[in-house]
Amino acid sequence: MTRHTLRRLTLTGLLSAAVVFPRIVHAASDTAIESRTANVGGLTIHYLIAGQGPQVILLHGYAETSRMWRPLMPLLAKRFTVIAPDLPGIGDSEIPKDGLNMKTAAVRIHALAQSLGVQKAEVVGHDIGLMVAYAYAAQYPTEVQKLVVMDAFLPGVGGWEAIYNDPNIWHFRFHGATPEALVQGREDIYFAYFWNDLAADKTRSLPEADRQAYMAAYSRPGRMRAGWDYFVSFPQDAKDFAQLAQTRLTMPVLSIGGDKSLGEALGQQMRLVADHVSVIVLKDAGHWIMEEKPQETMDALVNFL
């Protein structure tokens, strides 16, 4: 979705675990982040884990993987056990045969959490990850202590059609055999639209190393299609979320947006579905708030959680 469209938008109104040996993938100070996989209901889910204590689950968005959370994980790991999965079908998580939608993804992430002994958690999501995070909190409300949603929207809630049906937002409906053939070998051009055009400053958002890692992840066989399936699911997600929203969330909720992206729009939606909502809008930030405003974003998350 374009920055101009987002600025003018106003919103109205499953469970066996087999963990393999960990591999150290990142360390900051004395905090190691381990890469692991678990078999959850016959599906292999990859996740990063660090720290000890109460659990926090971090859910990435489209055009990224769990890698996006690596700068934040050592900070949270001082107080929490931090779990950052790759969403089903994305990154190093297995592509499921069906169920690439937000509600089912939440069920699978919940099954992963249960397999790790998580009884209660604080859940954070960015982009499509926030949709999975909301579905997690709405389906398992007694198990979610706090919820953070970051810069996207909730299908099926308060005016979402204005985003989904806007003709300028082409990428929600860009999927299928022909788009896949067009993007193959040109992933750099395709993803540059997301990383550049949806940033406040087109010349600066994601670091080059991250871009290369994400392009490699989505370029593998079947991965582009699996990522697009989350967009395909929006009409069904809207039906699911409209039903889930009939029961309001009672845990504390934080909405974070960039002022050059959705701004307060997501916060307005969250107030329609939750009782205790705080909203932060980061100045001079686009969609990629973790990368564009890392200190401000991480400070907000650390302080809220």
Side-chain angles (χ1 to χ4, degrees):
M1 63 189 73
T2 66
R3 296 198 312 276
H4 301 298
T5 296
L6 295 176
R7 269 201 295 267
R8 70 173 181 265
L9 174 65
T10 300
L11 294 174
T12 57
L14 82 146
L15 191 64
S16 60
V19 179
V20 302
F21 293 107
R23 173 172 57 88
I24 303 299
V25 297
H26 177 76
S29 303
D30 57 351
T31 301
I33 298 176
E34 298 178 356
S35 174
R36 300 180 182 176
T37 60
N39 186 286
V40 180
L43 188 75
T44 299
I45 299 291
H46 169 260
Y47 62 99
L48 304 177
I49 189 167
Q52 58 184 354
Q55 290 85 10
V56 174
I57 299 172
L58 306 176
L59 302 175
H60 67 85
Y62 182 70
E64 297 187 302
T65 69
S66 57
R67 177 186 176 99
M68 71 165 285
W69 301 114
R70 291 185 187 178
L72 173 66
M73 291 182 71
L75 299 179
L76 294 181
K78 297 174 182 178
R79 294 189 289 134
F80 298 98
T81 298
V82 189
I83 303 164
D86 287 337
L87 294 178
I90 297 179
D92 290 325
S93 289
E94 185 179 353
I95 301 174
K97 293 182 174 61
D98 55 26
L100 275 171
N101 58 71
M102 309 309 171
K103 188 176 178 180
T104 306
V107 171
R108 287 170 168 146
I109 297 300
H110 177 258
L112 170 67
Q114 284 198 311
S115 78
L116 299 176
V118 177
Q119 296 181 345
K120 293 181 181 294
E122 304 184 12
V123 183
V124 180
H126 175 252
D127 190 73
I128 61 171
L130 83 80
M131 303 175 193
V132 179
Y134 170 72
Y136 190 115
Q139 291 180 96
Y140 311 104
T142 63
E143 300 179 36
V144 176
Q145 296 173 302
K146 294 180 181 179
L147 174 66
V148 181
V149 291
M150 297 166 55
D151 209 85
F153 67 100
L154 293 178
V157 175
W160 77 281
E161 300 95 336
I163 305 173
Y164 182 68
N165 293 323
D166 191 309
N168 294 314
I169 305 174
W170 56 269
H171 63 268
F172 288 161
R173 290 178 169 86
F174 187 77
H175 51 77
T178 299
E180 191 171 356
L182 289 171
V183 169
Q184 187 173 9
R186 304 176 184 89
E187 291 86 359
D188 56 340
I189 299 172
Y190 171 72
F191 282 119
Y193 156 73
F194 293 91
W195 299 326
N196 297 345
D197 287 19
L198 302 187
D201 180 350
K202 289 188 178 184
T203 67
R204 183 186 63 82
S205 59
L206 275 66
E208 183 61 27
D210 289 350
R211 294 176 182 231
Q212 293 299 323
Y214 298 142
M215 282 192 292
Y218 282 84
S219 298
R220 291 156 51 198
R223 295 290 167 166
M224 192 68 71
R225 188 180 310 168
W228 286 345
D229 278 346
Y230 283 97
F231 294 150
V232 175
S233 78
F234 280 179
Q236 181 59 50
D237 298 330
K239 296 177 183 178
D240 292 339
F241 284 13
Q243 182 177 14
L244 291 172
Q246 293 178 21
T247 303
R248 295 177 65 84
L249 301 180
T250 59
M251 75 285 293
V253 176
L254 173 65
S255 171
I256 309 177
D259 72 338
K260 300 298 190 293
S261 183
L262 276 171
E264 295 186 10
L266 178 59
Q268 294 175 26
Q269 281 194 303
M270 292 309 303
R271 289 190 175 107
L272 298 176
V273 302
D275 292 336
H276 307 289
V277 180
S278 301
V279 179
I280 294 176
V281 178
L282 298 177
K283 184 176 175 57
D284 297 325
H287 179 62
W288 312 101
I289 55 178
M290 267 291 297
E291 293 82 9
E292 296 180 69
K293 294 292 180 180
Q295 192 62 54
E296 294 88 339
T297 303
M298 291 191 288
D299 284 350
L301 289 170
V302 170
N303 290 336
F304 178 75
L305 298 174

